[in-house]
Amino acid sequence: MIIDEDLLLENGAICEDYEPKTILFKEGDSPHYYFQIISGTVELNNYHEDGKEFTFNILSAGQSIGESLLFSDNNYPMNAVVKTRSQILKLPKSVFLDLIRKDQDITLNFFRCLSDRLYYKYIMLFNNSSADPLTKISCLLNYFKGFSGDKGQFTYHVPFTRQQIANLTGLCVETVIRSIKKMEKQNVVRITNRKIYY
DNA sequence: TCATTAAATTTTA
DNA sequence: TAAAATTTAATGA
């Protein structure tokens, strides 16, 4: 978790319930709030001219949304869409900035999270420039597994649909399906009831 | 080889 | 039970 939930509430954060498909903000909006997820998942995405979706990241409990935009005058370069029923804390940008100014521990922890995000961006950028779909997918799985803290083999349940993996890697669903199957043959992943274990 | 299109089947809400 | 997700198959770049 980035910032303690109680601390956010003490400072006037509002906790709101969101239904799937709710748009928290969209491309071009100016950032007014710091968002932090209590439960549920939120997707950061954008659409190409042909309507094809590209996913930047899929965020879940404890993570903040679009936090890197709160320190400049840039507008959001992406959309934030609620994927599953979510509880999300919302804190006005000005209050958030005050919090950062006042409390060093918060600031340091926040930087650590920004650093993680940036690290993810580098990994994914390089990953997405790879030509081989198998490399792309296993690298993605590897990153998220590491993030989850799960160490055993085939014990990490991949929390994404094949469509989501496709959107994260720029591949089409069918290629993801075929690649995952190939990876199962190579004993890299295991599939039980259509769920992917890595 | 991978993307695209189409269609069938299964799962989920 | 309708919508979403998964899968297979055919075709084209």
Side-chain angles (χ1 to χ4, degrees), chain A residues 57-58 120 140-148 156 160 168:
Chain A
N57 206 343
I58 297 175
Y120 168 79
L140 179 81
L141 297 188
N142 208 41
Y143 175 79
F144 277 96
K145 177 170 178 166
F147 184 76
S148 81
Y156 174 61
F160 307 130
L168 281 162

Side-chain angles (χ1 to χ4, degrees), chain A residues 83-123:
Chain A
K83 297 309 278 188
T84 63
R85 251 185 77 82
S86 301
Q87 282 190 303
I88 298 169
L89 287 167
K90 228 169 109 172
L91 189 71
K93 176 178 170 174
S94 56
V95 183
F96 170 75
L97 290 177
D98 280 343
L99 218 59
I100 290 286
R101 252 193 292 269
K102 278 188 293 195
D103 193 324
Q104 293 250 327
D105 289 342
I106 292 181
T107 312
L108 206 61
N109 200 38
F110 187 80
F111 279 154
R112 192 180 54 76
C113 292
L114 274 181
S115 178
D116 278 344
R117 283 297 159 73
L118 212 48
Y119 176 74
Y120 168 79
K121 289 287 160 211
Y122 283 122
I123 301 267

Side-chain angles (χ1 to χ4, degrees), chain A residues 3-14 34 36 89 91 96 99:
Chain A
I3 301 178
D4 185 69
E5 287 168 6
D6 292 330
L7 190 69
L8 286 169
L9 288 166
E10 279 167 27
N11 282 277
I14 305 164
Y34 168 78
Q36 186 169 309
L89 287 167
L91 189 71
F96 170 75
L99 218 59

Side-chain angles (χ1 to χ4, degrees), chain A residues 4 47 68 96 161 173:
Chain A
D4 185 69
Y47 295 89
S68 55
F96 170 75
T161 66
V173 208

Side-chain angles (χ1 to χ4, degrees), chain A residues 52-81:
Chain A
K52 204 167 116 181
E53 178 182 335
F54 180 80
T55 305
F56 291 103
N57 206 343
I58 297 175
L59 306 167
S60 51
Q63 295 184 290
S64 57
I65 307 163
E67 69 292 330
S68 55
L69 278 302
L70 290 169
F71 298 93
S72 74
D73 295 325
N74 290 321
N75 290 337
Y76 287 120
M78 75 305 213
N79 312 295
V81 187

